[in-house]
Amino acid sequence: MSMHGADTLLVLPELVVLVGAVATLLLGSFLPRQRQWTARLLAVAVLAGAVVVSVVAPRVGAGAEGPTTAFSGTFAVDGATTVVRVVLCLSTLLVVGLGVDELAGVPRESDTYALLLLGTLGGLVLASATDLLVLAVAFLLSSVPLYGLIGLAGTSRAAEAVLKAYLLGALLGIVMLLGVGLLYAGTAGTTYAELAERLPASPAALAGAGLVAVLVGLLFEAGAVPAHFWVPDAAQGASTTAAAFLTTVPKVAALLAAYRFLEAATAGGTDPGLTRTALVVVGVVAVASMTLGNLAAFWQDDVRRLLGWSTVSQVGYVLLPVAVVGAELALASLLVYLAGYAVTNLTAFAVVAAHRDARSIADWAGLARRYPVTGVALVVALLGLVGTPPTAVFVGKLATFGAAWDAGAGWLAVVAVLNTVASLFYYLRWLAPAFRAVADAPGGDDPRRPLAWASRAAAAGSVGVLVVGLAAGVVVAAGGGAPVR
């Protein structure tokens, strides 16, 4: 097999999603509104196919040689890539499932599926990039579909959210490109391998400014402090489908991208002072994200805005292994947490999608008690986000706290535990009224009755939360080993 043929095979999942997105867009352009479900079926087939080739393609393309890269070392195809590919494609598949009731028959149904696939493609490239230029392109490919998804809701609140996300994304994207330029000026290279080799010899001020600037762009995608302002507004103003996607897929990709970037930047004997400073900065961002996210979520009455702030706090927890990058358990704990967070957060949004007219916490009074399927899913999702055993996030938190403690960052683990305890307050503030006995409204059907497809997605997600929690060892085994550069 030629080198280019092997490279193509290694990026086959990305190609499948790209071709699927274009085909979905074209198909939707020629279909009448009542037959847009055909585009949905195509999107589901594309995502399921991408999951299969994500597992198979690296084994065929890399053979028995193990971790490798494609296209001259600019794209990593290692265990972490495989895990995140599967997580991103399955996450988007769940998003499509929870959004069927909301999107079926609307004028922009097929456009939404095309944007979901393009956003997933951006996440796939972002998570695997090992070159600064590829990282910059992936940033744009991941960001632009988000703006479209938020704006498709067509409401004034959505317009405000998309404007905020676009302006912040454009500003921080420019800062990221400035960082790429600074690092190129210091190392005369753009691949992570060149970064690891030459960064120690470059001027410390130049290297430090470049590192921070590139990280700022990734923090926007992750929704971490101080680039988080758009997340709660978008979660509240966008459609439930878009809100579920934007609080999951880009974050999973950006956090692995941040890990890869920092792992390369701090490898190879880089100035110890610079390395220590970069990791302290990430640690401070992690603490700020988890603390601010939890404090802001305390008093939210809109459940989608509450989940938006919950996302900000969860990103803080997931930044712990990034802050101790290179430590023995750092990468494994990061992958477990990302997989657990994705399925748990999407389950929560699936429950919200099932009861789409119940926007405030007061609207949920007695609802979980009356509809036990979505009620159980809500319990699993919210207690899962807290980190209650045996859910997936519990395993992820246990692993990340352990990684931080073993790496000598015990203060980070202590702050994270305190924040976890504090977060229990606002999740219970939602759960408690949902299970309260409430008298039936006189006459007529309950307008909050759960929608069929979203209920099924919530049930499937709640099973996934427990399965990922119990099978976390598989995730660790699949993503084990150091990331390639």
Side-chain angles (χ1 to χ4, degrees):
M1 184 180 295
S2 68
M3 184 182 71
H4 293 300
D7 284 347
T8 302
L9 192 59
L10 287 171
V11 297
L12 195 55
E14 286 75 17
L15 292 176
V16 168
V17 176
L18 172 61
V19 172
V22 175
T24 302
L25 188 62
L26 292 176
L27 182 64
S29 301
F30 295 101
L31 286 172
R33 184 184 302 182
Q34 62 272 21
R35 296 185 63 191
Q36 294 283 308
W37 54 267
T38 310
R40 183 196 317 147
L41 289 183
L42 178 58
V44 169
V46 166
L47 291 166
V51 171
V52 174
V53 295
S54 294
V55 176
V56 175
R59 297 177 187 279
V60 177
E65 297 177 0
T68 185
T69 60
F71 299 109
S72 305
T74 60
F75 194 92
V77 188
D78 53 12
T81 299
T82 300
V83 170
V84 170
R85 279 171 167 171
V86 172
V87 170
L88 294 185
C89 292
L90 287 179
S91 296
T92 307
L93 203 55
L94 193 54
V95 169
V96 172
L98 70 86
V100 171
D101 302 300
E102 183 180 50
L103 296 175
V106 302
R108 298 294 183 187
E109 182 178 4
S110 59
D111 298 344
T112 304
Y113 299 135
L115 287 171
L116 289 175
L117 289 174
L118 287 173
T120 304
L121 175 64
L124 292 171
V125 179
L126 190 67
S128 303
T130 50
D131 182 279
L132 292 172
L133 297 179
V134 176
L135 188 74
V137 171
F139 173 87
L140 295 175
L141 188 56
S142 179
S143 302
V144 173
L146 286 183
Y147 309 144
L149 283 169
I150 298 169
L152 280 179
T155 63
S156 58
R157 196 182 290 275
E160 180 184 347
V162 74
L163 185 62
K164 186 177 288 188
Y166 173 74
L167 292 177
L168 196 60
L171 173 64
L172 298 185
I174 292 171
V175 173
M176 184 180 188
L177 288 174
L178 177 63
V180 171
L182 291 175
L183 290 176
Y184 180 75
T187 63
T190 58
T191 67
Y192 286 6
E194 292 169 328
L195 211 63
E197 180 184 348
R198 302 173 188 172
L199 202 58
S202 65
L206 193 69
L211 288 177
V212 171
V214 172
L215 276 177
V216 163
L218 294 175
L219 292 180
F220 167 78
E221 291 287 341
V225 172
H228 66 287
F229 295 106
W230 64 281
V231 178
D233 289 339
Q236 184 181 18
S239 65
T240 311
T241 308
F245 183 84
L246 68 88
T247 56
T248 306
V249 170
K251 300 179 186 320
V252 171
L255 288 164
L256 179 58
Y259 187 95
R260 287 191 192 281
F261 173 68
L262 271 181
E263 197 275 341
T266 58
T270 303
D271 176 10
L274 176 62
T275 300
R276 195 163 45 249
T277 301
L279 299 185
V280 168
V281 167
V282 176
V284 170
V285 169
V287 170
S289 293
M290 65 179 83
T291 305
L292 180 63
N294 284 329
L295 290 177
F298 277 171
W299 314 113
Q300 301 300 324
D301 285 324
D302 187 294
V303 293
R304 283 183 10 192
R305 193 170 182 84
L306 185 151
L307 287 175
W309 280 112
S310 164
T311 295
V312 175
S313 71
Q314 294 288 335
V315 170
Y317 301 127
V318 194
L319 278 171
L320 259 64
V322 180
V324 294
V325 63
E328 185 179 359
L329 296 174
L331 180 60
S333 64
L334 175 70
L335 294 175
V336 170
Y337 204 130
L338 291 177
Y341 166 73
V343 68
T344 309
N345 186 61
L346 290 176
T347 301
F349 271 100
V351 175
V352 172
H355 300 282
R356 64 182 176 190
D357 292 327
R359 295 297 299 262
S360 71
I361 289 178
D363 293 336
W364 284 79
L367 205 147
R369 187 187 182 100
R370 185 173 302 168
Y371 303 108
V373 172
T374 50
V376 170
L378 183 67
V379 172
V380 171
L382 296 189
L383 293 186
L385 288 173
V386 174
T388 306
T391 60
V393 171
F394 166 73
V395 181
K397 283 191 175 181
L398 203 61
T400 53
F401 296 173
W405 189 273
D406 290 346
W411 65 278
L412 276 176
V414 170
V415 174
V417 170
L418 293 175
N419 268 281
T420 296
V421 175
S423 69
L424 187 61
F425 169 78
Y426 61 85
Y427 291 123
L428 288 180
R429 187 166 161 262
W430 181 359
L431 270 179
F435 281 90
R436 187 181 304 143
V438 176
D440 291 337
D445 291 335
D446 185 354
R448 303 171 302 169
R449 184 180 297 279
L451 301 172
W453 279 99
S455 297
R456 296 184 190 117
S462 59
V463 172
V465 169
L466 300 176
V467 169
V468 174
L470 296 173
V474 176
V475 179
V476 173
V484 297
R485 293 194 292 271

